[in-house]
Amino acid sequence: MTAVGSCARARGFQFIQDRGARGHQSRLMKIVLKLILFLVMLSLGGCMSHTTESTAATGGPDATSAVVRYQTTDVDRAVRFYTEQLGFALDLQAGTAFATVSRGDLRLLLSGPGSSGARPMPDGRAQVAGGWNRVVLYVDDLAAIIDRLREAGTPFRNDIETGMGGAQIQIEDPDGNPVELHEASAESTSATGGPDATSAVVRYQTTDVDRAVRFYTEQLGFGLDLQVGTAFATVSRGDLRLLLSGPGSSGARPMPDGRAQVAGGWNRVVLYVDDLAAIIDRLGEAGTPFRNDIERGMGGAQIQIEDPDGNPIELHEASAS
């Protein structure tokens, strides 16, 4: 009732009085009451849409959904960067705890220090930004976007790398999380069914592409979309596409200062599941490494596992509310 009252007062409802005949007044009041009810429903929707997480029954994630989680120290600052600099749309924000932004078929969960997805591990390790696991955004004019981002003071990790799929470069968001900008080659553009400038994937480093494909398809229900020998493969689950980058791919080359792009880190894909306990049992029997115990928050229950190369994956069972 408090939320309803607050939203209703914010709308500034006004009662309409008519001094005409009783029948005319009655008809008018019915119309006004319907209008008030409609506006209250709208205000409830507006108030709730940016403060709650929910299950598929209310339009939230189901067991085929997937997002990517990035750690951030300032959710408002992160939202501004992704919406103003990289063309993401703000889907949901819960104060300073977390926000979800989207671009094409990619949803990115920006996890603030107060969120359950940012709590330290049982051994005390902090979940920090950075690493090498990253989102890959396809663009139409890489050179022009590089110029615009340099003018805005965006940090760059490397120079342009070219490979069979096109040209790419890595930037960092305000917390140091990596973002790859990729201009696809003419042979792999949307004209031939490949990525266009609204497409996005997530890149994971792997030392054995075949082994990684088996893990994601057999253990986590991904489908194999494409594999190019031992160089790389793309697998998908729901609205998430994951690019498994082998040692021979252009997306695995060392940085100009010699730093290697290694697996691991804390940037991770989040897979929504129906029965977390059953999946934990199955993965435990298969010898899958677990990073932590179950964490619970406003959105539900979650736990982190590792793939064969040490890349993190979060399994998340959404709350009923």
Side-chain angles (χ1 to χ4, degrees):
M1 292 296 292
T2 301
V4 173
S6 175
C7 290
R9 285 194 297 273
R11 298 288 182 182
F13 291 140
Q14 296 180 345
F15 289 102
I16 301 174
Q17 297 179 344
D18 190 295
R19 299 181 180 177
R22 184 182 300 272
H24 184 57
Q25 184 181 39
S26 176
R27 287 192 298 271
L28 276 177
M29 287 306 296
K30 288 180 179 178
I31 293 172
V32 170
L33 288 173
K34 288 181 179 179
L35 178 60
I36 290 174
L37 179 61
F38 174 70
L39 290 175
V40 168
M41 291 174 68
L42 280 181
S43 13
L44 277 173
C47 289
M48 293 176 67
S49 63
H50 295 285
T51 57
T52 62
E53 293 182 348
S54 57
T55 63
T58 54
D62 61 22
T64 65
S65 298
V67 299
V68 180
R69 189 187 293 274
Y70 264 17
Q71 302 295 335
T72 178
T73 56
D74 187 326
V75 172
D76 289 326
R77 181 182 65 174
V79 167
R80 287 195 301 272
F81 175 79
Y82 282 96
T83 56
E84 296 173 7
Q85 296 295 336
L86 297 178
F88 281 72
L90 175 62
D91 299 327
L92 176 148
Q93 183 167 354
T96 59
F98 64 87
T100 305
V101 294
S102 61
R103 181 185 190 271
D105 48 8
L106 174 73
R107 288 186 296 157
L108 181 60
L109 176 57
L110 303 169
S111 188
S115 69
S116 56
R119 293 171 186 161
M121 295 294 102
D123 61 5
R125 284 178 299 164
Q127 299 190 54
V128 296
W132 296 102
N133 296 330
R134 58 190 181 268
V135 299
V136 180
L137 308 180
Y138 289 94
V139 299
D140 276 336
D141 189 340
L142 183 58
I145 292 174
I146 288 173
D147 289 343
R148 177 173 58 77
L149 290 170
R150 287 196 192 281
E151 290 177 2
T154 304
F156 283 74
R157 286 195 171 185
N158 63 345
D159 300 319
I160 293 176
E161 293 281 0
T162 57
M164 67 181 73
Q168 60 195 254
I169 197 167
Q170 289 184 51
I171 65 171
E172 292 185 352
D173 75 6
D175 286 284
N177 293 301
V179 179
E180 180 181 318
L181 304 176
H182 191 115
E183 185 174 352
S185 64
E187 293 78 16
S188 61
T189 60
S190 55
T192 56
D196 60 22
T198 65
S199 298
V201 299
V202 180
R203 188 188 292 274
Y204 264 17
Q205 302 297 334
T206 178
T207 56
D208 186 328
V209 172
D210 289 327
R211 183 183 63 173
V213 166
R214 287 196 301 272
F215 175 78
Y216 283 96
T217 57
E218 296 174 6
Q219 296 295 336
L220 297 178
F222 281 72
L224 176 62
D225 300 325
L226 172 92
Q227 182 168 355
V228 180
T230 59
F232 65 87
T234 305
V235 294
S236 62
R237 181 184 191 270
D239 47 10
L240 174 74
R241 288 187 298 155
L242 183 59
L243 176 57
L244 303 169
S245 188
S249 68
S250 56
R253 293 171 185 161
M255 295 294 102
D257 61 4
R259 286 178 298 163
Q261 300 190 53
V262 295
W266 296 101
N267 297 330
R268 59 190 181 268
V269 298
V270 180
L271 308 180
Y272 289 93
V273 299
D274 277 335
D275 189 339
L276 183 59
I279 293 174
I280 288 173
D281 289 342
R282 177 172 57 78
L283 290 171
E285 291 176 0
T288 305
F290 285 77
R291 287 194 170 185
N292 63 346
D293 300 318
I294 293 176
E295 292 282 1
R296 300 185 186 277
M298 68 179 74
Q302 59 196 255
I303 197 168
Q304 289 184 51
I305 65 172
E306 291 184 353
D307 74 7
D309 287 283
N311 293 301
I313 299 153
E314 179 180 318
L315 304 175
H316 190 115
E317 184 175 350
S319 65
S321 58

